[in-house]
């Protein structure tokens, strides 16, 4: 089971924590964006580096079977773009951890979870049904 974890860059530590929990339960985490040492977009990072990050993130997303978007902190856009990509490639499961923040979060193909425990319960039971 390969999982891509998405969140606002300002919420990278929470994404890392959630990824660690999922990994401890047997998931393979495809996303590595939250491990970047520098996540600034204010001129500290070149356009070329940002392009490479975007390409890497898209490649990692395409490897995943499941997508998790953490929505407790509003995102300026990157995680919404990732959600759009996940919707377009028809992932096996798309999960929202936290509140619905826009119209796409209300789609029936997205399972909303309020807690990490609920996320794990849904994610791993969905994966068991695929075996």
């Amino acid at each position: 089971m390969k999982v891509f974890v998405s969140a606002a860059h300002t919420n990278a530590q929470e994404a890392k924590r959630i990824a660690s929990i999922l990994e401890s339960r047997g998931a393979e985490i495809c996303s590595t964006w939250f491990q970047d040492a520098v996540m600034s977009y204010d001129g500290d990072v070149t356009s070329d580096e940002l392009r490479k990050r975007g390409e890497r993130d898209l490649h990692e997303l395409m490897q995943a079977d499941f997508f998790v978007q953490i929505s407790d902190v509003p995102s300026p856009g990157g995680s919404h773009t990732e959600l759009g990509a996940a919707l377009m490639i028809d992932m096996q499961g798309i999960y929202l951890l936290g509140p619905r923040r826009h119209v796409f979060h209300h789609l029936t193909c997205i399972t909303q979870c309020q807690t990490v425990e609920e996320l794990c319960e849904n994610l791993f039971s969905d994966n068991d049904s695929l075996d």
Side-chain angles (χ1 to χ4, degrees), residues 9 33 35-42 44-45 49-50 53:
H9 265 98
W33 66 268
Q35 298 171 359
D36 289 340
V38 177
M39 292 205 223
S40 172
Y41 292 99
D42 62 4
D44 293 341
V45 181
E49 177 60 26
L50 292 173
R53 285 183 189 181

Side-chain angles (χ1 to χ4, degrees), residues 2-21:
K2 296 179 181 180
V3 179
F4 187 95
V5 179
S6 177
H9 265 98
T10 56
N11 209 14
Q13 290 304 325
E14 180 66 0
K16 189 181 284 191
R17 184 182 78 80
I18 300 299
S20 179
I21 291 168

Side-chain angles (χ1 to χ4, degrees), residues 3 23-25 27-28 30-33 47 50 57 72-73 85 96 98-99 113 117 121:
V3 179
E23 200 167 41
S24 74
R25 297 197 181 183
E28 178 183 339
C30 296
S31 45
T32 60
W33 66 268
S47 178
L50 292 173
D57 288 354
D72 58 343
V73 173
L96 177 67
C113 304
E117 294 76 23
E121 186 177 299

